[in-house]
Amino acid sequence: MRVLMVCLGNICRSPIAEGILRHKAAEKGLDIITDSAGTSAFHVGEAPDHRMILTAGKNGIDISDLSARQFISADYQNFDLIYAMDESNYENMIRLANNDSDREKVRLILNESTPGLNASVPDPYYGGDQGFQHVIDLLDVAVDKVIERIETNG
Ligand code: 4NP
């Protein structure tokens, strides 16, 4: 199974989503390929935001090796599940989809933990430090559901 996490900058929300999934998959011995990307090119080549690296570390998750890249339409061939952190990311990716099969791969990640609400993972970039922990808390629950989905559907 190949899972891609996507936000706007690929320096705050999607790297930690990838890091949490990678961490939990390794703990469970699951064969999951993980990656993340941003719909924008603003931060391509950069490491995750230092505040997210720090907060992730306090939660036992190392994302210091990750580096930002932009989402491209070829990602539809290379991944089975593609998770948007918010509705804007979702719409931006849908615009790059080629067919229904591509569109069916894209989901809002918080619909895994709170189905049907179309809730967004809040962008912590311009806020205070507590915003980073809040993102981790939301994604910790949602990623458990992603793993349940993968374990159920193979
Ligand atoms: P992310 O956060 O989408 O969670 O990586 C952002 C980081 C940077 C910007 C926007 C969102 N920016 O506009 O530079």
Side-chain angles (χ1 to χ4, degrees):
M1 183 62 66
R2 303 163 301 173
V3 181
L4 181 65
M5 302 294 192
V6 177
C7 62
L8 176 60
N10 193 206
I11 56 169
C12 294
R13 293 166 294 173
S14 60
I16 189 60
E18 177 186 358
I20 292 169
L21 178 59
R22 178 170 74 173
H23 183 83
K24 288 179 187 283
E27 267 181 355
K28 287 178 158 260
L30 295 171
D31 186 16
I32 301 175
I33 290 168
T34 61
D35 197 4
S36 62
T39 57
S40 80
F42 300 153
H43 296 278
V44 167
E46 293 180 24
D49 187 295
H50 64 279
R51 296 165 295 177
M52 190 54 96
I53 292 178
L54 193 69
T55 312
K58 288 181 185 159
N59 289 264
I61 294 165
D62 182 10
I63 56 168
S64 61
D65 61 310
L66 301 180
S67 94
R69 73 169 177 89
Q70 189 169 19
F71 179 82
I72 53 172
S73 90
D75 285 319
Y76 283 114
Q77 279 78 63
N78 295 331
F79 293 92
D80 306 301
L81 283 172
I82 301 174
Y83 283 105
M85 299 298 121
D86 66 32
E87 288 192 283
S88 159
N89 316 144
Y90 181 93
E91 294 300 334
N92 285 329
M93 287 193 284
I94 290 293
R95 258 183 243 130
L96 293 174
N98 299 297
N99 50 46
D100 284 347
S101 156
D102 287 356
R103 283 182 277 275
E104 281 163 16
K105 292 181 177 184
V106 188
R107 294 148 195 249
L108 275 173
I109 191 153
L110 292 189
N111 277 350
E112 295 289 5
S113 42
T114 52
L117 292 188
N118 295 341
S120 291
V121 180
D123 185 347
Y125 190 64
Y126 295 106
D129 285 345
Q130 75 289 345
F132 290 83
Q133 184 62 50
H134 182 53
V135 167
I136 292 176
D137 293 342
L138 289 171
L139 289 173
D140 188 57
V141 179
V143 168
D144 280 340
K145 300 293 182 185
V146 171
I147 287 176
E148 274 177 36
R149 175 187 293 284
I150 292 169
E151 285 180 319
T152 306
N153 299 335

